[in-house]
């Protein structure tokens, strides 16, 4: 694909350009104000333009527009690209509010998808396989944590933009999407949101009740000196436990060390543990991963299925909007 990339920062350069290159695809146009030298170094000959309007002047030279600008600009940039007739991938969140997200879906005509890349995390793929196989029995609790310890936060829009920044819209969008993908629509939301070290929210707790009765506890924090288990799923037939994330151990990773003692030499790499009391079984690591995303995008642009239905991002936005109301008013919000 010929890709036009809006933004060349942590998301644009650090994630999208890297995945596109790994898939053998080409970034041909980039919107950036300060990183032209990096673009030339990474993609010699790529056209650097100052804004989205200038990029869309080259729309007939592009197969895909990737919106990786700050979250508060997603809706306007995506709508402009859709209006120009482009296929559009928007980094999460699709928009900062439900109404704007729905407006994009209404305008999309099948040409919009959302970068919910954490659907391709090995732990998510492994858990999906366990659920499909019925190995956990009837699930009653899903827990996922995205916690780190940054007492000196970075000085960026993500930390300083009260409306479009903060962990609720950033990591919260991933956490809610993961829960809904696994356990379906949400019927009620309870939230506790705090700004401990930054102007924007940097401490998030969500208790989300799904239509099927599963309760998801979702947490993200930037001032968490002792992170909890990354993922814990409790069911009548056992539990699924992940104690580290992307190679970074938590204090609970000592459990992994203890569990490793029970493994036999030559067993494959695992992605967490299936636990039934004192019985523990390593869960094989699935073959998929983030490297599958950009090939899936290429198939979509060529007439294949949507990698992520943008209606799912509207559902996530609705939960995040309800979380704000819940935290402000100190009550459970029914959807």
């Amino acid at each position: 694909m010929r890709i036009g990339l809006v933004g060349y920062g942590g998301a644009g350069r650090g994630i999208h350009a890297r995945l596109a290159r790994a898939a053998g695809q080409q970034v041909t146009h980039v919107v950036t104000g300060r990183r032209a030298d990096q673009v030339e170094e990474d993609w010699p000959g790529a056209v650097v333009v100052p804004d989205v309007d200038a990029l869309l002047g080259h729309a007939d030279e592009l197969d895909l527009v990737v919106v990786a600008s700050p979250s508060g600009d997603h809706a306007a940039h995506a709508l402009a690209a859709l209006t120009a007739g482009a296929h559009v991938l928007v980094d999460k969140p699709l928009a900062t509010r439900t109404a704007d997200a729905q407006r994009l879906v209404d305008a999309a005509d099948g040409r919009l998808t959302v970068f919910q890349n954490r659907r391709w995390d090995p732990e998510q793929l492994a858990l999906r396989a366990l659920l499909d196989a019925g190995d956990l029995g009837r699930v009653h609790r899903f827990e996922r944590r995205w916690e780190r310890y940054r007492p000196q936060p970075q000085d960026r829009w993500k930390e300083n933009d009260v409306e479009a920044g903060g962990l609720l819209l950033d990591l919260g969008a991933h956490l809610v999407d993961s829960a809904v993908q696994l356990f379906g629509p949400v019927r009620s939301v309870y939230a506790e949101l705090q700004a401990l070290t930054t102007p924007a929210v940097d401490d998030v707790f969500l208790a989300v009740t799904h239509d099927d009765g599963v309760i998801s506890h979702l947490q993200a924090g930037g001032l968490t000196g002792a992170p909890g288990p990354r993922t814990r799923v409790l069911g009548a037939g056992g539990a699924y436990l992940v104690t580290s994330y992307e190679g970074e151990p938590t204090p609970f990773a000592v459990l992994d060390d203890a569990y490793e003692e029970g493994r036999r030499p030559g067993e494959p790499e695992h992605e967490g543990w299936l636990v039934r009391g004192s019985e523990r079984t390593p869960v094989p690591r699935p073959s998929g991963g983030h490297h599958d995303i950009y090939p899936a995008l290429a198939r979509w642009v060529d007439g294949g299925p949507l990698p992520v239905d943008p209606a799912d991002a509207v559902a996530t936005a609705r939960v995040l909007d309800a979380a704000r109301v819940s935290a402000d008013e100190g009550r459970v919000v029914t959807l």
Side-chain angles (χ1 to χ4, degrees):
M1 292 187 297
R2 300 166 301 171
I3 297 169
L5 187 51
V6 182
Y8 210 63
R13 186 189 193 202
I15 299 176
H16 291 280
R18 174 176 54 82
L19 290 175
R21 184 184 299 281
Q25 296 163 8
Q26 187 72 19
V27 173
T28 60
H29 298 72
V30 179
V31 177
T32 184
R34 298 179 293 111
R35 302 178 186 271
D37 291 345
Q38 289 180 343
V39 174
E40 178 59 29
E41 178 183 346
D42 297 342
W43 305 96
V47 177
V48 175
V49 294
D51 53 41
V52 173
D53 287 342
L55 175 72
L56 296 177
H58 299 270
D60 59 347
E61 304 168 30
L62 301 173
D63 299 305
L64 178 69
V65 172
V66 176
V67 176
S69 50
S71 298
D73 295 327
H74 284 185
H77 291 168
L79 184 59
L82 290 170
T83 302
H87 281 75
V88 182
L89 168 68
V90 183
D91 209 313
K92 60 82 208 148
L94 175 57
T96 60
R97 298 285 178 171
T98 303
D100 289 331
Q102 185 62 59
R103 194 171 297 117
L104 292 174
V105 172
D106 293 342
D109 193 27
R111 291 180 287 109
L112 175 67
T113 192
V114 186
F115 191 64
Q116 293 291 170
N117 57 311
R118 297 303 173 179
R119 294 186 178 193
W120 284 265
D121 278 353
E123 67 180 305
Q124 187 79 353
L125 299 174
L127 176 53
R128 177 75 272 171
L130 287 177
L131 295 172
D132 289 345
D135 289 338
L136 298 178
R138 181 172 177 79
V139 171
H140 55 271
R141 175 69 55 81
F142 169 59
E143 300 172 7
R144 181 159 289 165
R145 297 168 179 84
W146 208 318
E147 298 174 325
R148 41 176 80 132
Y149 185 57
R150 289 182 178 172
Q152 297 298 323
Q154 299 183 63
D155 185 15
R156 308 173 298 173
W157 69 266
K158 283 189 176 183
E159 285 75 21
N160 296 325
D161 187 335
V162 174
E163 175 61 26
L167 292 187
L168 180 68
L169 289 177
D170 183 11
L171 304 182
H174 282 314
L175 292 166
V176 172
D177 180 76
S178 295
V180 173
Q181 187 199 21
L182 293 168
F183 302 109
V186 171
R187 70 175 183 232
S188 68
V189 180
Y190 171 77
E192 297 172 2
L193 309 176
Q194 300 183 86
L196 298 176
T197 64
T198 65
V201 168
D202 65 352
D203 187 75
V204 174
F205 170 76
L206 303 180
V208 172
T209 302
H210 300 264
D211 284 350
D212 67 357
V214 175
I215 297 175
S216 292
H217 281 183
L218 311 173
Q219 295 175 246
L223 197 62
T224 310
R230 163 67 181 176
T231 295
R232 189 174 71 150
V233 187
L234 306 178
Y240 176 60
L241 180 67
V242 177
T243 62
S244 61
Y245 175 59
E246 293 186 339
E248 293 294 327
T250 73
F252 289 84
V254 66
L255 295 173
D256 269 349
D257 295 337
Y259 289 178
E260 290 287 354
E261 295 176 3
R263 295 183 67 207
R264 293 183 293 275
E267 286 184 338
E269 284 191 282
H270 70 284
E271 192 64 35
W273 302 90
L274 177 61
V275 184
R276 298 182 175 102
S278 61
E279 176 189 348
R280 53 186 184 262
T281 304
V283 176
R285 179 164 295 167
S287 59
H290 289 200
H291 57 273
D292 293 325
I293 299 173
Y294 266 76
L297 288 166
R299 291 190 294 271
W300 167 58
V301 169
D302 204 32
L306 276 166
V308 175
D309 188 337
D312 294 351
V314 177
T316 292
R318 188 171 292 116
V319 172
L320 298 178
D321 280 357
R324 292 188 184 98
V325 174
S326 173
D328 286 344
E329 300 181 5
R331 65 180 179 89
V332 174
V333 176
T334 300
L335 301 185

